[in-house]
Amino acid sequence: MSTEGPRTESTAPRNEAAPQAIAAASRLGWPMVVRGILGVAFGIVTVFWPRDSSNPLQLSLPTEVVDHLAIGYLILFAVALVFQAVRSPLNVRTAIFGQAVIAIPAIVFLFLADQPAELRAALSIWALLHGALEFWAYRQLRSQPMASDFLIASGVHVLLGIILVFGDGMEALSILGFTGAATLIAGVIFIIGGYSRLSKGRQLAKRGALPEEIDTPAEAAPSSIADPADAARPSDTATVESTESTGSAGEADRTADLESPDDPDSDTPVKKEP
């Protein structure tokens, strides 16, 4: 009866992300920090904008002022998105560029908005489209660590769009306040997420495990798999050649044995010594 215990192989911890995934995530660190700072600044200005002390829920800002504030934020936000798209992996650049593109019609509609209802319509459509594209980016980045930051930002923008869609009777300052609150929450998430990515990237660089190529991880895998096969082919060929040479040598030995003079069945005459 064997008393040997079951053999188990040591496996790498599953909660530790691959160096290539951490390196790809660290490239998004600075764009996320820039987006976060921009969102927090816009959120602080709009959320804490002074209201009328007698009736804070009423309009205390003209619609044109709110339009200009929102337009300025969207222009800077689109520039930050382009910066993020350039540093993003190839599979997510379309979603990030799409977020920058949908800011253009929102800016045009805000220039034409003269009433709070038009302002609400422009910002609600932008928020819903931006949230949908942010969710698409999250789907593409699920393999990276801390990808849930994009999911939270997507949910915040979608919630903002729903509030604005059903916010009948909202005045310009209320619309600005809800928009600023959403950008403030998303900005804090992006600042924390961007700093965490940069920190993990620096730790990876100190260990000397920072890979050079991070944009095409899928293309590197087939080549690494094919190289051992290519390397194995010469040995297989050598094995075949050695087998053939061994077979040839064996046939030669058998032929020599058959033609040996001492063989009684051989036709070669045997010369006798006098």
Side-chain angles (χ1 to χ4, degrees), residues 122-251:
L123 290 178
S124 62
I125 294 174
W126 166 79
L128 290 173
L129 292 177
H130 180 82
L133 290 173
E134 199 83 85
F135 181 75
W136 183 16
Y138 160 74
R139 296 272 298 178
Q140 298 297 324
L141 295 173
R142 284 184 301 175
S143 60
Q144 291 188 4
M146 299 170 292
S148 59
D149 297 336
F150 296 92
L151 180 62
I152 297 173
S154 171
V156 169
H157 283 87
V158 170
L159 181 60
L160 171 64
I162 294 174
I163 291 174
L164 294 179
V165 166
F166 294 99
D168 296 334
M170 294 178 62
E171 298 295 342
L173 187 58
S174 300
I175 297 171
L176 185 66
F178 278 107
T179 305
T183 59
L184 179 62
I185 296 172
V188 172
I189 295 298
F190 274 113
I191 289 176
I192 297 174
Y195 178 78
S196 300
R197 285 168 169 80
L198 292 174
S199 177
K200 287 183 178 295
R202 285 192 294 265
Q203 294 175 2
L204 197 66
K206 288 181 180 179
R207 296 201 305 263
L210 189 65
E212 297 180 358
E213 298 290 338
I214 65 174
D215 285 337
T216 56
E219 296 177 1
S223 61
S224 62
I225 296 174
D227 290 340
D230 295 336
R233 289 175 185 171
S235 62
D236 296 341
T237 305
T239 303
V240 174
E241 292 177 354
S242 62
T243 304
E244 293 177 354
S245 61
T246 304
S248 300
E251 292 178 0

Side-chain angles (χ1 to χ4, degrees), residues 81 93-103 133:
L81 285 171
R93 287 182 184 177
T94 302
I96 305 299
F97 275 123
Q99 294 176 6
V101 169
I102 63 172
L133 290 173

Side-chain angles (χ1 to χ4, degrees), residues 27-50:
R27 285 179 58 110
L28 298 176
W30 281 116
M32 292 180 66
V33 171
V34 172
R35 284 183 58 180
I37 294 174
L38 181 61
V40 169
F42 179 76
I44 291 176
V45 170
T46 55
V47 171
F48 298 101
W49 191 275

Side-chain angles (χ1 to χ4, degrees), residues 31-116:
M32 292 180 66
V33 171
V34 172
R35 284 183 58 180
I37 294 174
L38 181 61
V40 169
F42 179 76
I44 291 176
V45 170
T46 55
V47 171
F48 298 101
W49 191 275
R51 266 75 170 174
D52 187 5
S53 58
S54 61
N55 193 356
L57 297 178
Q58 296 299 322
L59 177 65
S60 61
L61 277 178
T63 305
E64 290 78 8
V65 176
V66 179
D67 287 338
H68 293 159
L69 288 173
I71 288 170
Y73 168 74
L74 288 179
I75 291 175
L76 296 176
F77 189 62
V79 174
L81 285 171
V82 172
F83 175 48
Q84 178 181 348
V86 171
R87 296 179 62 87
S88 298
L90 294 176
N91 61 341
V92 78
R93 287 182 184 177
T94 302
I96 305 299
F97 275 123
Q99 294 176 6
V101 169
I102 63 172
I104 298 176
I107 293 171
V108 174
F109 290 147
L110 288 173
F111 270 117
L112 302 176
D114 295 331
Q115 302 296 327

